Amino acid sequence: MATKHYPTPMLDVLEEGPWPSFISGFKKLRDEHPDERIRNVINGLMGQLEHSYETKMGYWKGGTISVFGYGGGIIPRFSEVGHMFPESKEFHTLRVQPPAGNYYTTDMLRQLADSWEKWGSGLQTFHGQTGNIMFIGANSVNYQHFFDEINEYGWDLGGAGPCVRTGMSCVGAARCEMSNCNEHAIHRRLMNNFTDDVHRPALPYKFKFKVSGCPNDCQNAIERADFAVIGTWRDDMKVNQEAVKEMIMKKAKEIGKEGDRSAGRQYMFDNVISRCPTQAIKLNDDDTITVDNSNCVRCMHCLNVMPKALQVGDDKGVTILIGGKRTLKIGDLMGTVVVPFMKLDTEEDYERIVEMAAEIIDFWAENGLEHERCGEMIERIGLVNFLEGIGIDPDPNMIKQPRNVSYVRTDGWDEAAEEWFNRKREEKAAA
């Protein structure tokens, strides 16, 4: 027997125009899916969405639900108009952690999809803002069954609420020549160590780990992560001068001036040399380039546009920034450099980064206010007090942002500088 469809004239408008529409996907599930339960659920969902558009109000309310043994990982959604659209009166979302680097096989994806169509609505999102796979639309009877099934073959819930959230890492060295660290090993080491903090919310608010293998920061870690790990290098970038010369002639050909060396050089000036923010790269008369590595700020522009000619250095490691977040109490914050450079080659190095993360989380848990991110706490108590609390000495390379003005106070500058140089001499002697 055919199900009577709720009228959706306002939703239908969203299918007009050249761009794909999520409404088309909803209708395909509603009209073509072989499971009558899923067809009915999507029909009810579209009816409620149309009602929300008509009244300009949302009708989902939260609640408290979880799978056995967990305190988070599910976003409850109960409909306030369930009497009007009973097919979708419960529409909970399960957050499931993706593999490091978002590497999937088609078998993995089919297995997840089959389980979700068995127990849920069939709607999925890859990926949510935090990085989770979002399985949208389970009722209170089936969400536990879905979790049990996917957990049996290796998947786990992500974080939701005041806890350590799902970590994210970029594709890394497997696909990218800019990689400076083992992104996926860092991701897994951190998340495996803090699994209990993911599943049992007990923190002031959310805490996010994100790992990007180079300063391109494809994971937006600096802007969004409380604990951002950014791959970098501290020696000179590698230059292939022959590839530079080839690029000059290649670009001359691409702009319709084949063989015109001056046109290729002009392209290089306009698109590479002049765009270096610190003017650290110079094009010589013989079509070679000279890089002032001491002034390179790792903006990555030249390496991105000349990947054959320029490559990252060999002395690789990571920079750690703390406190990035989006708007809440005091607006957006970028992460502040707390560890300018750290090698991650040995087991001891990985243990050190985990211990540092644990120290930061513990300090924030004790000193953060309710609903206050780690960066907001640092703004409130001051960076010096934060560094003292986690046992890290101040360093001139702990950069939050470039200076806005040319004036700077130098109270106690000489004493602080002498203390820093003494500490560096002691470290060098100890090494």
Side-chain angles (χ1 to χ4, degrees):
M1 179 179 176
T3 303
K4 182 180 178 181
H5 293 167
Y6 293 105
T8 57
M10 299 184 75
L11 298 186
D12 296 342
V13 175
L14 298 179
E15 293 187 280
E16 299 174 2
W19 304 109
S21 171
F22 71 99
I23 296 300
S24 300
F26 282 7
K27 287 183 177 180
K28 186 173 182 179
L29 275 178
R30 181 195 66 183
D31 300 338
E32 301 176 18
H33 199 279
D35 189 331
E36 183 181 6
R37 177 187 59 83
I38 289 180
R39 295 198 302 270
N40 290 337
V41 166
I42 301 303
N43 185 38
L45 174 67
M46 293 184 67
Q48 177 168 328
L49 186 56
E50 177 75 20
H51 183 60
S52 287
Y53 280 19
E54 291 170 350
T55 61
K56 299 182 180 179
M57 293 180 63
Y59 294 99
W60 297 112
K61 62 180 180 180
T64 303
I65 62 172
S66 64
V67 298
F68 293 122
Y70 285 41
I74 301 179
I75 305 171
R77 291 290 181 268
F78 296 95
S79 174
E80 293 180 318
V81 288
H83 61 286
M84 298 172 60
F85 311 101
E87 306 91 342
S88 58
K89 63 181 180 181
E90 295 178 351
F91 216 75
H92 313 311
T93 295
L94 288 87
R95 291 177 168 175
V96 173
Q97 294 187 45
N102 292 341
Y103 283 101
Y104 301 91
T105 65
T106 53
D107 287 340
M108 294 160 65
L109 295 173
R110 288 192 182 97
Q111 192 176 31
L112 285 169
D114 289 343
S115 294
W116 186 234
E117 289 189 333
K118 178 180 177 182
W119 299 110
S121 70
L123 293 177
Q124 303 169 42
T125 298
F126 286 80
H127 301 85
Q129 285 283 3
T130 302
N132 295 287
I133 313 169
M134 310 291 280
F135 292 92
I136 307 167
N139 62 33
S140 297
V141 174
N142 290 339
Y143 69 79
Q144 180 71 52
H145 296 300
F146 172 71
F147 169 73
D148 291 341
E149 187 167 307
I150 66 170
N151 190 242
E152 184 67 27
Y153 56 79
W155 299 86
D156 200 3
L157 291 186
C163 63
V164 171
R165 296 293 183 88
T166 300
M168 286 296 289
S169 53
C170 63
V171 296
R175 296 291 302 276
C176 180
E177 67 269 27
M178 302 295 181
S179 173
N180 292 279
C181 57
N182 189 336
E183 300 85 358
H184 308 147
I186 300 169
H187 178 166
R188 290 304 341 148
R189 187 65 65 95
L190 289 169
M191 295 310 300
N192 289 352
N193 188 81
F194 295 102
T195 293
D196 190 63
D197 295 295
V198 173
H199 297 318
R200 295 164 183 86
L203 300 175
Y205 197 31
K206 65 182 78 169
F207 191 94
K208 296 182 179 181
F209 292 106
K210 291 185 186 293
V211 184
S212 290
C214 76
N216 277 315
D217 192 12
C218 293
Q219 291 302 306
N220 293 329
I222 298 173
E223 295 91 345
R224 302 191 70 101
D226 302 89
F227 193 103
V229 182
I230 308 295
T232 188
W233 68 97
R234 62 179 173 183
D235 58 344
D236 294 348
M237 70 172 72
K238 294 178 285 189
V239 183
N240 183 335
Q241 301 291 4
E242 290 304 314
V244 176
K245 296 175 182 178
E246 289 175 9
M247 180 179 175
I248 289 174
M249 301 311 295
K250 177 184 176 183
K251 291 302 178 182
K253 181 179 179 180
E254 288 179 359
I255 61 178
K257 298 184 178 180
E258 185 173 359
D260 187 344
R261 172 173 168 262
S262 62
R265 284 177 59 85
Q266 187 62 49
Y267 179 94
M268 183 73 75
F269 278 117
D270 293 343
N271 293 279
V272 182
I273 308 301
S274 64
R275 298 193 181 187
C276 177
T278 55
Q279 300 180 358
I281 187 168
K282 175 185 176 184
L283 181 61
N284 302 314
D285 293 339
D286 60 354
D287 292 348
T288 61
I289 59 174
T290 302
V291 180
D292 178 4
N293 285 276
S294 64
N295 276 318
C296 173
V297 292
R298 310 295 191 265
C299 80
M300 299 299 288
H301 174 71
C302 62
L303 288 98
N304 290 336
V305 297
M306 303 173 64
K308 292 183 179 179
L310 297 172
Q311 294 180 323
V312 300
D314 293 319
D315 190 6
K316 299 177 179 179
V318 298
T319 296
I320 297 175
L321 302 94
I322 305 298
K325 67 171 209 71
R326 288 305 313 273
T327 301
L328 187 64
K329 292 188 175 182
I330 59 172
D332 294 8
L333 291 176
M334 304 277 272
T336 298
V337 174
V338 169
V339 179
F341 187 86
M342 174 181 178
K343 297 289 284 184
L344 279 180
D345 295 332
T346 66
E347 186 67 24
E348 290 74 20
D349 294 334
Y350 281 95
E351 290 177 1
R352 180 182 164 206
I353 196 172
V354 170
E355 290 171 0
M356 182 189 309
E359 193 72 37
I360 290 170
I361 290 175
D362 288 346
F363 181 82
W364 170 60
E366 291 180 8
N367 296 278
L369 303 178
E370 184 179 358
H371 222 64
E372 182 177 58
R373 294 286 290 272
C374 187
E376 293 166 333
M377 177 199 69
I378 295 173
E379 289 287 307
R380 177 171 55 82
I381 69 174
L383 181 61
V384 173
N385 290 325
F386 173 71
L387 294 173
E388 182 180 343
I390 63 174
I392 293 180
D393 295 322
D395 188 294
N397 297 302
M398 291 176 176
I399 306 299
K400 179 181 179 184
Q401 63 187 42
R403 260 200 336 227
N404 296 322
V405 296
S406 57
Y407 301 101
V408 58
R409 293 187 62 168
T410 58
D411 311 46
W413 177 276
D414 293 336
E415 294 82 355
E418 183 63 29
E419 182 181 339
W420 186 79
F421 283 119
N422 287 338
R423 188 169 73 248
K424 289 301 177 183
R425 280 193 285 268
E426 291 171 2
E427 291 175 358
K428 187 175 181 180

